[in-house]
Amino acid sequence: MQSTTRQVLRAAYRQAPTVRRTLQQRFNSTATEAPKKTYSKWKAIKNVTKIGTVGFIGFTFYNMYEHSHPVMNPIPADSSKKTIVILGSGWASTSFLKSIDTELYNVVVVSPRNYFLFTPLLPSTTVGTIDHRSLVEPIRFITRHKPNEVKVYEAECTEIDSDKKIITIVDNSEVKGDRATSTIPYDYLVVGVGAQSQTFGIKGVEEYGCFLKEVWDAQKIRTKLMDCIETAAFPGQAPEEIERLLHMVVVGGGPTGIEYAAELHDFLAEDLSAWYPELVGKIKITLIEAMPNVLPAFSKQLIDYTESTFKEQHISLHTKTMVKEVKEKEIIVQGPSGEKEAMPYGLLVWATGNTTRPLIRNLMAQHPETQNIRRGLAVDDWLRMAGANDIYALGDATATKYAPTAQVAAQQGKYLARVFAQLHATEQYENELENAATAEEKAKKARKLQKAQDIKPFHYSHQGSLCYIGSDKAIADVPFGPGNVAAGGVATYAFWRSAYISNLFSARNRWLVITDWTKKTFWGRDISRE
C-alpha cells in the first residue's frame, strides 16, 4: 500500500512542471486577450452612413464630370446604316433616344423644343416652388454623350409622306434664316409628338383659359396669377371686383388639375398671406370636374381622402359640373341639376384631357382603312403603326389600351429601342445565313436568326400612381402582390418626393430640384412677377 502511494506521488511530482507551464500559458493567454467588443447597432448605422455618403458624393462628382464632358469627336453618320428619325422630345421619344444604340443606326431628332420637360412637377413651377429650368434637360445633353453622331433639329414636322418615306420640317423659331423649310428622308420613323389639350369645342377656352402642358404655359399662369393679386390690391377696387379677381378656377379633376389646385393653395396659405395681409380670406379656389368624382384612376379610399383634404383647405369641389362657355371674366357652368350658372373668375386653368395634334390627324387621313380611332394612331402590340410597316408610334400620340401617362410612354420608349436592336440583329443574321458555307454554320445562324425574330410584344408594368394634394400631403396607389396598397398623408408626401427625384432624367436635374425645395423651405416662394 505504501509502495503504491509513493509511486503515485512520484508520478505527480514529475508531471507538476508540465501542469504548471500549461496553467501559466493559459493564464498569460487570457490576460493578453482583448475583451470582446459588443455589437453596436448605432456604430453599424454610422459606418453604413459614412460609406453611403462617400459613395453618393463620389457618384455625384462622377456624374458632374461626365455631364460636362461630352464625346468630342463622335463617329459621323454612315450611309450604309439605316436612318431612324425621331419626332418629339417628350417622355416617349426621349426614353427611346436614351436607350437606342447609335452604333446600329443613324439617328435624327426633330422637335419644336430642344429639351425634355419633366411634366409631373410642372404644377410646382406655376407658383415658384420649383424653377422651370430645374425640370428641363437639353436634348443635346443626351445626344452628345452617344458614341455616334445624332443630329438634332429644333423644328416642327408639318407633313409625313409615308409612301416616299420623307418628312417636311419647318423652322419654328422667331429668328429665321434664308431657309426655313426642309425635308428629311427616313428608313424608320418614330412618332412621339404627344397630344394637345382637349377643349371639347367649348367657346372661349383657347382665348381666355390657361393650359398646363409646356413651360410657357406655366409661365403664363404665374404671370396671370400675380396680375390678379396685384390688381386686386390696387386702391379703390370695388369689393365685387376684388372677389372676381381672387377667384381661381381649375377645370379638370385629374392629377394635373388636383396638383395645381394643391400647389396654388400652398402658395396662398404659406406665402401670400404673409405679404398681402389685406387679401387674406378673400382668395378662393374652385375645381370643376364633369365626372362624379376627381382622380378616377385612384381607389375610392384615396378619392375620399383627397376630397376631405380639399374641404379642410377650403377648396370648393364642383363634381358632375360641365363648362358650357368661357368668357373674359366669367364662365358658364351647368351643374348636376341641369341649371346654368355664371361664375366670375380671375384666373382659369384648363387641365382636362388630350386630343390629337394636326400632324397626327393628317397622317391618319393618309390611311383611312386602318386609322379609324379618333383619339390617336392605331398601333399593334409592337408599337408599329397600322397600315405602315416603317412607322412606329408611342406615347400620347397613340390610341392604346393604356392610360396616356408619362410612365407608359417611358416604358414604350425603352421597349422600342430593344425592338430596333432585334431588327438590326435579324438583318445581320439573315445576311450571315446567306453567306454561310457549311451546313453546320447555316444551322447555327438559323438558330440565332430565329431567336432575333422572336420579338415579344409590349407589356406595360404599372409601378403605381402618385398625386400631391397640398399641405405637405400626397396619395399613392401602388401595386403590391395581387392587390394595391393605398396610402395618403405626410409620409406619403416624402415617398412622392423621393419617387419623383429618382425618376428625373439626370443627376443635374435632381440636384436642382432638391436645391429648389430647400430654398423654398428656408426662404419661401418668390412673389415677384416675372
Side-chain angles (χ1 to χ4, degrees):
M1 183 72 178
Q2 292 178 354
S3 176
T4 304
T5 304
R6 283 196 295 269
Q7 291 175 357
V8 171
L9 291 173
R10 288 193 190 102
Y13 180 79
R14 286 195 297 268
Q15 293 177 357
T18 306
V19 173
R20 286 198 301 272
R21 284 195 299 271
T22 303
L23 292 174
Q24 185 65 33
Q25 289 174 355
R26 290 183 179 178
F27 176 78
N28 294 337
S29 174
T30 305
T32 56
E33 276 183 5
K36 290 185 178 180
K37 294 182 178 180
T38 58
Y39 175 76
S40 173
K41 290 183 179 180
W42 173 242
K43 288 184 178 180
I45 292 172
K46 287 198 297 183
N47 291 334
V48 170
T49 303
K50 289 178 183 177
I51 296 172
T53 302
V54 172
F56 176 74
I57 294 173
F59 179 74
T60 300
F61 276 99
Y62 169 77
N63 274 280
M64 290 170 62
Y65 176 84
E66 185 185 40
H67 183 270
S68 58
H69 290 78
V71 178
M72 298 308 298
N73 296 302
I75 302 172
D78 187 349
S79 58
S80 64
K81 297 178 182 178
K82 291 188 175 181
T83 299
I84 300 176
V85 174
I86 306 171
L87 299 182
S89 56
W91 279 93
S93 298
T94 305
S95 177
F96 174 77
L97 177 62
K98 288 177 69 74
S99 304
I100 190 65
D101 188 351
T102 57
E103 295 181 355
L104 306 180
Y105 297 94
N106 299 321
V107 179
V108 179
V109 180
V110 177
S111 175
R113 64 187 193 195
N114 65 351
Y115 58 85
F116 162 78
L117 173 65
F118 190 82
T119 50
L121 288 175
L122 191 59
S124 299
T125 67
T126 61
V127 295
T129 304
I130 296 176
D131 187 84
H132 69 271
R133 289 288 177 186
S134 303
L135 302 182
V136 299
E137 177 79 355
I139 290 299
R140 285 181 174 82
F141 282 8
I142 300 171
T143 59
R144 286 302 305 278
H145 287 84
K146 294 284 187 178
N148 291 58
E149 180 185 21
V150 177
K151 295 180 179 179
V152 179
Y153 300 115
E154 187 184 54
E156 184 173 357
C157 178
T158 57
E159 185 180 353
I160 299 173
D161 191 331
S162 56
D163 294 329
K164 297 180 180 179
K165 301 176 73 171
I166 292 176
I167 66 169
T168 301
I169 64 173
V170 176
D171 183 359
N172 66 330
S173 63
E174 294 182 1
V175 179
K176 293 181 173 59
D178 294 335
R179 185 172 182 180
T181 304
S182 184
T183 58
I184 301 176
Y186 67 85
D187 294 296
Y188 295 109
L189 182 65
V190 176
V191 181
V193 297
Q196 62 187 23
S197 298
Q198 173 68 276
T199 64
F200 304 100
I202 298 173
K203 182 180 177 182
V205 174
E206 293 187 1
E207 291 85 353
Y208 306 114
C210 296
F211 301 112
L212 190 51
K213 292 185 73 69
E214 302 289 348
V215 167
W216 48 85
D217 293 332
Q219 292 172 323
K220 179 181 177 181
I221 290 173
R222 178 171 175 78
T223 300
K224 194 164 185 178
L225 172 63
M226 296 312 302
D227 279 346
C228 289
I229 293 170
E230 292 291 354
T231 304
F234 193 80
Q237 205 73 265
E240 58 271 11
E241 184 65 4
I242 294 176
E243 183 180 356
R244 179 190 72 81
L245 288 166
L246 298 181
H247 186 199
M248 316 302 174
V249 177
V250 182
V251 179
T256 301
I258 292 293
E259 290 195 340
Y260 175 71
E263 291 282 357
L264 182 57
H265 164 267
D266 290 352
F267 182 42
L268 301 179
E270 298 172 8
D271 298 273
L272 292 183
S273 59
W275 305 114
Y276 296 86
E278 70 276 17
L279 301 181
V280 173
K282 298 179 181 180
I283 301 174
K284 182 181 177 183
I285 304 173
T286 298
L287 190 141
I288 299 174
E289 169 57 44
M291 301 292 288
N293 51 258
V294 298
L295 299 174
F298 286 77
S299 64
K300 182 65 167 59
Q301 174 188 351
L302 295 180
I303 292 172
D304 293 340
Y305 180 74
T306 301
E307 292 180 348
S308 64
T309 301
F310 272 24
K311 187 176 181 180
E312 293 174 2
Q313 297 169 343
H314 305 290
I315 298 176
S316 300
L317 280 177
H318 292 259
T319 56
K320 299 181 182 178
T321 303
M322 295 181 290
V323 177
K324 292 298 183 179
E325 185 181 353
V326 177
K327 299 180 181 180
E328 185 179 2
K329 296 183 178 182
E330 65 178 14
I331 59 174
I332 308 301
V333 299
Q334 181 177 320
S337 63
E339 294 184 3
K340 292 183 179 180
E341 174 190 356
M343 187 181 292
Y345 72 91
L347 171 66
L348 174 65
V349 175
W350 194 267
T352 58
N354 297 329
T355 187
T356 54
R357 296 187 182 276
L359 177 67
I360 300 302
R361 291 196 290 269
N362 293 338
L363 182 58
M364 293 168 63
Q366 297 179 30
H367 305 272
E369 300 84 6
T370 55
Q371 295 296 324
N372 48 22
I373 304 177
R374 294 183 59 185
R375 60 189 178 91
L377 290 171
V379 295
D380 60 18
D381 292 337
W382 294 267
L383 304 182
R384 185 171 49 215
M385 174 183 157
N389 292 331
D390 299 322
I391 298 179
Y392 292 79
L394 62 176
D396 293 354
T398 62
T400 64
K401 60 184 177 181
Y402 307 110
T405 63
Q407 192 176 156
V408 172
Q411 291 186 26
Q412 287 178 336
K414 293 178 181 178
Y415 164 81
L416 191 57
R418 296 194 297 269
V419 169
F420 274 100
Q422 287 189 256
L423 290 175
H424 181 272
T426 299
E427 294 179 2
Q428 180 181 348
Y429 292 139
E430 285 176 347
N431 294 332
E432 292 178 358
L433 182 60
E434 291 180 1
N435 299 326
T438 63
E440 183 180 354
E441 190 177 353
K442 286 185 177 180
K444 185 178 179 181
K445 298 299 180 184
R447 287 194 297 270
K448 289 185 176 180
L449 175 61
Q450 185 178 7
K451 185 178 180 180
Q453 289 176 331
D454 184 21
I455 302 176
K456 305 297 182 183
F458 172 73
H459 174 71
Y460 170 61
S461 176
H462 185 57
Q463 303 300 314
S465 301
L466 301 170
C467 186
Y468 179 61
I469 59 174
S471 302
D472 293 341
K473 296 178 183 179
I475 57 173
D477 217 340
V478 182
F480 184 79
N484 277 22
V485 174
V490 177
T492 309
Y493 173 60
F495 174 71
W496 173 85
R497 277 194 165 186
S498 62
Y500 278 6
I501 285 292
S502 64
N503 280 299
L504 284 163
F505 265 30
S506 70
R508 166 184 168 272
N509 291 124
R510 295 187 187 101
W511 273 108
L512 291 174
V513 170
I514 291 172
T515 302
D516 289 340
W517 279 337
T518 305
K519 287 191 299 183
K520 189 272 294 184
T521 302
F522 288 101
W523 299 101
R525 299 171 181 85
D526 182 18
I527 63 169
S528 61
R529 184 179 61 180
E530 299 176 357

